[in-house]
Amino acid sequence: MRLRTLEDLPDPAGKRVFVRVDFNVPLDGGRVADDLRIRSTLPTLNELLDRGASLVLASHLGRPKGQVVEKYRLAPLADRLAELLGREVSAVSDVVGEEAQAVCGHVEPGEVVLLENLRFDPREEQNDAGFAGELADLADLYVDDAFGAAHRAHASVVALAERLPSVAGRLLQREVEVLSRLLEGPDEPYVAVLGGAKVSDKLGPIAALVERVDALLIGGAMAFTFLAADGVEVGKSLVEPDRFDDVRRARTLARERGALIQLPEDVVVAPEVAADAQRQTVGVDAIPRDQLGLDIGPRTVEEFARTLADAKTILWNGPMGVFELEPFSAGTRGVARAVAGARAFTVVGGGDSLLAVKRLGLEGSFDHLSTGGGASLEYLEGRELPGIRVLEED
Ligand code: ADP
Ligand code: MG
């Protein structure tokens, strides 16, 4: 099904365009710590401004659960956006209240308004029609560029899109183009690298990926559930025994299809999760009972890199170890470099993975950094995302 895009938008000149953005970014002492999600919306915002529109922007931030929570106000985001756009951005202090109505009632072409955190209103997460109606009163046209929220049937994502002439912005369009390519026709060999904390967070994508990839490389804490399900003694490593059946099923499926599941051969272990803990590298068959695995070892990095070097398409989601602590970051660094260096179409997703990429200074080394953590994974499972469905032609 075709996604409606900015080409399909009625002429926005002199109109107020409501743009749903995903500015759910990490803040550090009231300042934006990482502005990737803000920068990623600039093509859409600039295009609309160039076409003579005024913009009413709205986002969520954090989980304020339907109440005003001071630390989740969007004012710091307005400051950063103003710097990036090179023009003033007025942050209003409510979502659909008097101030929002007054400001949006008088907005002129070229002006940019940022509404307050959508999730300060409980009706946002309820996909409430009345709330969507009040949002619709603030603008004439609707553009969705919030890929990170596309898997949520919330009022600003679904009900509002049903009320106004609605299309996808450039970021959402690009995310769908890239991820649908992974889903439908990736150049082969297609290799996925998965890591991160919990296998239970990513069982859906694992099940979907073993149906499609040529190789699945598993690192991070989730590798220990795979190893333990095989009877390997993994000491105090993070294991989810209630997922043994799921990972065994994934392995059986992969075997039947002739897809390779590659697990770590060696790991970096320590008695506790601490930067100054005494660490050592051991084979996975020699993990001491009183220690836990916190990174993949150098032999594993080499083996993973060998598989990645032959790939034509690579998806990477999830760090290979506790990369936040320098002594356990080598595995993530090694895999990041191998992915970046491969002659393949490369896609990276996941909030922590993107943070790792940024710390390594490798942001420009991949074909696509997906801004939607949960949304990217749900899309890659082949699930229909409500925020995308509503923008497709019937
Ligand atoms: P992403 O946000 O990229 O999808 P996740 O949220 O799934 O990634 O997982 C990231 C977290 O996993 C990181 O905070 C990292 O410290 C943790 N992690 C990775 N490997 C291990 C491990 N071996 N033991 C404990 N935690 C780990
Ligand atoms: Mg994460």
Side-chain angles (χ1 to χ4, degrees):
M1 208 122 40
R2 204 186 71 92
L3 195 65
R4 296 192 299 273
T5 65
L6 289 178
E7 279 73 33
D8 304 293
L9 189 71
D11 182 8
K15 297 271 167 46
R16 297 169 303 171
V17 183
F18 188 106
V19 188
R20 174 54 160 107
V21 289
D22 177 4
F23 287 175
N24 186 28
V25 298
L27 292 181
D28 185 9
R31 282 190 55 88
V32 174
D34 177 28
D35 63 2
L36 174 72
R37 282 184 162 175
I38 304 179
R39 275 185 285 127
S40 302
T41 63
L42 292 177
T44 298
L45 305 185
N46 282 321
E47 184 172 336
L48 289 166
L49 289 166
D50 288 347
R51 288 167 71 180
S54 54
L55 304 182
V56 177
L57 308 183
S59 178
H60 68 284
L61 175 67
R63 295 175 187 270
K65 305 222 168 89
Q67 290 173 11
V68 176
V69 176
E70 289 303 322
K71 68 171 178 183
Y72 291 136
R73 286 198 180 275
L74 300 197
L77 311 184
D79 295 343
R80 184 74 195 111
L81 177 64
E83 286 168 23
L84 291 166
L85 278 176
R87 62 174 89 202
E88 213 175 296
V89 174
S90 337
V92 299
S93 61
D94 56 19
V95 188
V96 289
E98 279 174 24
E99 191 186 338
Q101 289 169 21
V103 173
C104 296
H106 295 100
V107 63
E108 298 286 333
E111 289 183 353
V112 182
V113 178
L114 177 63
L115 300 178
E116 190 47 279
N117 194 334
L118 288 160
R119 290 192 188 162
F120 283 1
D121 194 310
R123 296 174 297 171
E124 162 66 359
E125 294 186 59
Q126 294 158 359
N127 198 23
D128 183 85
F131 182 57
E134 290 174 41
L135 291 172
D137 287 342
L138 304 176
D140 309 298
L141 303 170
Y142 174 87
V143 173
D144 186 0
D145 224 11
F147 179 64
H151 57 319
R152 308 283 186 214
H154 291 173
S156 67
V157 175
V158 175
L160 177 59
E162 287 165 340
R163 267 192 122 90
L164 292 176
S166 57
V167 306
R170 295 301 177 207
L171 171 62
L172 183 56
Q173 181 186 354
R174 164 101 178 127
E175 293 273 11
V176 169
E177 276 165 12
V178 167
L179 298 177
S180 66
R181 178 167 160 190
L182 295 194
L183 202 55
E184 283 151 22
D187 289 343
E188 294 170 354
Y190 175 20
V191 178
V193 193
L194 287 185
K198 287 158 95 188
V199 77
S200 53
D201 286 345
K202 296 179 185 174
L203 280 171
I206 289 171
L209 284 166
V210 290
E211 300 271 12
R212 291 190 173 82
V213 297
D214 297 286
L216 185 58
L217 317 184
I218 309 260
M222 68 162 71
F224 297 105
T225 296
F226 276 84
L227 291 165
D230 256 5
V232 175
E233 167 58 56
V234 298
K236 293 196 300 175
S237 307
L238 272 186
V239 170
E240 293 176 89
D242 52 333
R243 299 304 181 187
F244 283 175
D245 284 345
D246 296 290
V247 304
R248 286 194 194 111
R249 204 173 308 127
R251 297 195 83 171
T252 307
L253 244 160
R255 204 175 306 121
E256 285 168 6
R257 272 195 66 237
L260 179 72
I261 292 192
Q262 242 178 296
L263 296 176
E265 294 173 19
D266 59 345
V267 288
V268 180
V269 298
E272 57 180 330
V273 189
D276 57 358
Q278 187 72 36
R279 72 187 150 128
Q280 55 174 324
T281 301
V282 297
V284 286
D285 53 356
I287 300 174
R289 274 177 187 280
D290 58 349
Q291 308 219 355
L292 72 168
L294 296 173
D295 195 10
I296 58 173
R299 237 178 339 128
T300 303
V301 171
E302 230 170 87
E303 288 302 319
F304 283 11
R306 209 189 301 274
T307 304
L308 291 166
D310 291 332
K312 288 276 183 298
T313 305
I314 299 173
L315 168 70
W316 172 32
N317 175 290
M320 296 291 101
V322 182
F323 73 98
E324 297 93 334
L325 303 179
E326 204 282 327
F328 309 108
S329 62
T332 301
R333 187 163 57 243
V335 163
R337 289 194 179 138
V339 175
R343 263 198 289 276
F345 181 70
T346 54
V347 179
V348 186
D352 294 290
S353 309
L354 293 183
L355 195 64
V357 162
K358 188 180 179 199
R359 285 199 194 169
L360 291 165
L362 288 174
E363 271 180 309
S365 309
F366 304 92
D367 291 293
H368 184 68
L369 302 179
S370 183
T371 54
S376 326
L377 290 175
E378 282 195 23
Y379 191 94
L380 290 170
E381 279 176 53
R383 281 159 63 167
E384 182 170 84
L385 308 191
I388 291 175
R389 174 74 198 88
V390 72
L391 302 173
E392 281 172 339
E393 279 184 344
D394 284 307

